[in-house]
Amino acid sequence: MMNNDFPNIAKEYKRTIAGRFMLVEGAKLKDKLSGEDFLVTKKMDGIMLVVFVRDGEVSAYTSHGNAVPGKLPCLQELKHIVNQGGISNMTLGAELYATIRDSGRERVCDVAKAIAHQEMHNKLHIAPFDIIDFEGEPCEVTHYKEKWTKLHRWFNAGTLVRQVDATAASGRNEVEKIFNEWVIEGGAEGLVVHSEQPIIYKVKPRHTIDAVVIGYTVGEDAHAEMMRDMLLAVMRPDGILQQFASTGTGLTEDMRREFYAMLQNDKVESEYVETDSRNVAFQMVRPKVVVEISGIDFVTENAAGEPKQNMLLRYDQEQGYSVVMKTSGAVVHSPVFERIRNDKSCNTTDIRIKQLTDLCSFSVKRAVAKESLPNSIRMLRRVFVKQAAGKIMIQKYVVWKTNKESTGVYPAYVLHITDYSSTRQELLKRDIRVSDSKQQIMDMCQEMIDNNVKKVGRKSEYEQISHTVIRICKA
């Protein structure tokens, strides 16, 4: 029997496929790639989907488990293609992308815009790149090109649905040639390189951005008067700094001495504490020195689809750094120091955040100081405990109203679930749900209690030790 838990299948697929990728810098691909029989596909800058064909009906979910509107022309075309081909059941990995720009390649940020405006729906395309299962059986092959051949046979004649572009390469020199043609000259985001090996190579160019140094750590022993790592930030249009990276790669010992001498007299106070890979706290400094760094990949979420978070900081010449809030942002893979930019300074133009958002899409939300936020109100707290033979199990459900929804940063209602069991290897599990509807969050809470506390006859075995309590809190 086929598993039809579509949201969780989509989430798990993202985690599985992400674990098979190896990120490679384009300039070093000949040193990193192994194998000889390659199939190279073009990386599309869109949103990963898992497309489900079940009894001729088609639905699609993002890697976050969110459903894609079924009436999109691209999904309707995919449905027509599979029905014409006599395919009843199949699961595909695909990329949803939008072609709404007059020039340049597609961008992931355009997808949400195109979905939100009906007149742009015909600008949305689906590029299938993987066959997860076919007619109820996992699609297992010895080389990816076998899957691509099937995708080509089914979708080659599509208009809004067409398999990813691909070409064969018999060695690393040919892959390098394709990289130069598609990425360096053609402006594509990158390549995905498949071989007879289980590893999938994601090949991208190195990008550079300018950022300000806001902190540093020092080395040890003989390197005690050298900078080890620098903490970096870009600036938002409102003048608030967004910390997003740290690096020491690319620095010579002479450079480390130079930076140490340059920064040690610019120390400032900070309520924000960040540490390096040794768990040594960065010494915060005045945001004066602008540097150019490079990175292979700028990402906004992890393999589980959870958003990356950056800290927003406000700098005051007298008080130093104060914390504003955490917000969605980006992290950099393989950051490398390139040079000091003496021609640039700490302002909204020279170190603008748009450098990041041009490379990876995330929302620059309005910053709200935590001191100005209203208190939350706890609406419900229910705790269930079961004890038997020295074992203990606890289920706790807490719902609160944030009173912060007007900021555009916080949801209106939050449900937090704590699940403790002394019989599991992972003793403590936590989960969270959000909503802008009081009725929905309460229904969600009750449904989870029904499923987790009452299932398999456990209701009578659990003792409820607390019920609804409403009070003001700082959540």
Side-chain angles (χ1 to χ4, degrees):
M1 185 175 178
M2 297 186 69
N3 183 354
N4 290 331
D5 184 4
F6 298 156
N8 283 325
I9 293 173
K11 292 178 185 178
E12 185 59 32
Y13 178 74
K14 171 66 179 291
R15 286 190 287 265
T16 301
I17 197 73
R20 295 169 58 196
F21 279 110
M22 175 182 289
L23 183 62
V24 174
E25 181 183 351
K28 299 178 180 178
L29 69 84
K30 287 168 59 173
D31 297 327
K32 300 293 184 180
L33 268 59
S34 61
E36 294 296 331
D37 183 14
F38 298 106
L39 187 71
V40 182
T41 61
K42 186 179 293 185
K43 191 178 188 309
M44 310 301 296
D45 193 5
I47 294 175
M48 182 186 290
L49 297 183
V50 176
V51 180
F52 300 91
V53 180
R54 296 293 186 269
D55 298 322
E57 295 298 320
V58 173
S59 59
Y61 289 77
T62 70
S63 58
H64 294 148
N66 299 321
V68 175
K71 293 184 178 180
L72 292 179
C74 53
L75 277 178
Q76 290 299 308
E77 180 177 308
L78 193 149
K79 178 180 177 179
H80 175 74
I81 291 172
V82 297
N83 287 340
Q84 286 290 102
I87 300 171
S88 297
N89 296 285
M90 177 169 62
T91 308
L92 298 170
E95 199 80 5
L96 177 67
Y97 66 96
T99 55
I100 66 175
R101 297 172 183 254
D102 294 330
S103 60
R105 65 171 171 85
E106 73 289 339
R107 296 283 183 171
V108 64
C109 55
D110 295 337
V111 175
K113 183 177 180 180
I115 290 177
H117 296 84
Q118 188 170 355
E119 66 273 16
M120 294 184 182
H121 283 184
N122 62 352
K123 299 291 186 180
L124 288 161
H125 300 253
I126 291 177
F129 61 81
D130 191 14
I131 307 169
I132 302 169
D133 58 57
F134 182 75
E135 301 299 358
E137 297 295 330
C139 185
E140 298 177 352
V141 296
T142 57
H143 196 296
Y144 171 76
K145 61 185 177 182
E146 299 173 46
K147 287 188 177 183
W148 189 87
T149 300
K150 293 179 181 179
L151 292 171
H152 181 268
R153 185 170 69 247
W154 294 329
F155 302 111
N156 186 50
T159 303
L160 299 178
V161 182
R162 187 181 175 87
Q163 79 289 343
V164 290
D165 292 337
T167 187
S170 59
R172 285 167 285 187
N173 288 335
E174 287 191 24
V175 176
E176 183 180 50
K177 182 179 178 181
I178 296 166
F179 179 82
N180 290 333
E181 180 183 343
W182 286 3
V183 181
I184 303 302
E185 298 172 12
E189 184 190 7
L191 304 179
V192 178
V193 183
H194 305 263
S195 72
E196 63 273 21
Q197 308 294 329
I199 297 172
I200 304 171
Y201 300 97
K202 182 166 63 174
V203 186
K204 286 191 169 188
R206 185 168 283 276
H207 297 281
T208 61
I209 66 171
D210 297 318
V212 68
V213 179
I214 60 172
Y216 73 98
T217 56
V218 298
E220 300 169 343
D221 301 328
H223 300 100
E225 294 189 351
M226 299 183 193
M227 183 185 75
R228 184 179 187 270
D229 292 314
M230 60 179 72
L231 192 65
L232 301 163
V234 289
M235 185 172 283
R236 296 155 42 99
D238 56 12
I240 292 174
L241 292 164
Q242 184 157 335
Q243 189 272 314
F244 72 101
S246 64
T247 188
T249 306
L251 293 163
T252 65
E253 289 200 351
D254 286 341
M255 290 176 182
R256 294 180 189 277
R257 292 189 186 95
E258 180 183 351
F259 269 108
Y260 178 77
M262 188 188 310
L263 298 174
Q264 65 173 327
N265 294 323
D266 280 330
K267 299 176 183 177
V268 296
E269 295 297 318
S270 175
E271 69 174 15
Y272 171 59
V273 178
E274 183 61 78
T275 59
D276 64 14
S277 58
R278 305 167 298 171
N279 289 322
V280 173
F282 281 92
Q283 170 61 58
M284 304 298 282
V285 296
R286 294 183 178 89
K288 290 169 45 178
V289 180
V290 175
V291 298
E292 179 183 294
I293 68 162
S294 66
I296 303 175
D297 206 5
F298 296 76
V299 298
T300 60
E301 59 182 39
N302 62 18
E306 298 164 338
K308 296 293 187 181
Q309 299 280 303
N310 294 157
M311 184 63 75
L312 298 185
L313 303 171
R314 183 176 281 109
Y315 174 73
D316 179 83
Q317 291 187 6
E318 300 297 326
Q319 303 296 323
Y321 291 96
S322 59
V323 171
V324 178
M325 58 182 280
K326 271 194 172 183
T327 187
S328 56
V331 297
V332 187
H333 284 182
S334 304
V336 174
F337 167 81
E338 298 291 343
R339 56 176 173 151
I340 296 177
R341 294 301 304 262
N342 290 320
D343 57 327
K344 297 198 173 186
S345 58
C346 182
N347 59 59
T348 56
T349 299
D350 289 349
I351 59 167
R352 60 193 178 280
I353 195 172
K354 194 172 184 296
Q355 297 175 98
L356 279 181
T357 56
D358 280 349
L359 293 171
C360 57
S361 177
F362 61 89
S363 176
V364 181
K365 297 179 180 177
R366 184 165 69 93
V368 181
K370 61 182 185 298
E371 295 83 3
S372 66
L373 295 174
N375 291 330
S376 297
I377 297 177
R378 192 174 72 192
M379 302 174 61
L380 178 146
R381 180 177 184 269
R382 297 183 69 180
V383 182
F384 302 86
V385 177
K386 173 185 174 183
Q387 299 184 69
K391 301 173 182 177
I392 183 168
M393 284 160 277
I394 301 172
Q395 298 269 344
K396 182 171 75 171
Y397 301 84
V398 180
V399 177
W400 67 87
K401 186 179 187 301
T402 69
N403 292 323
K404 305 170 182 64
E405 59 269 30
S406 62
T407 66
V409 176
Y410 299 90
Y413 299 93
V414 178
L415 163 62
H416 188 276
I417 307 102
T418 305
D419 178 6
Y420 174 85
S421 175
S422 62
T423 63
R424 287 195 309 252
Q425 183 175 2
E426 184 182 358
L427 299 176
L428 188 64
K429 293 183 178 180
R430 296 185 179 94
D431 200 359
I432 194 166
R433 298 287 190 274
V434 299
S435 176
D436 290 328
S437 164
K438 177 181 176 181
Q439 186 64 49
Q440 183 184 45
I441 203 75
M442 288 301 194
D443 289 346
M444 200 180 301
C445 181
Q446 188 59 52
E447 181 182 358
M448 297 193 78
I449 291 173
D450 291 342
N451 290 338
N452 298 327
V453 176
K454 296 181 181 180
K455 70 179 182 179
V456 297
R458 296 192 307 177
K459 180 180 179 182
S460 60
E461 298 174 356
Y462 275 84
E463 177 188 2
Q464 182 172 312
I465 61 172
S466 80
H467 195 49
T468 305
V469 178
I470 298 179
R471 70 180 183 88
I472 296 174
C473 57
K474 283 287 186 179

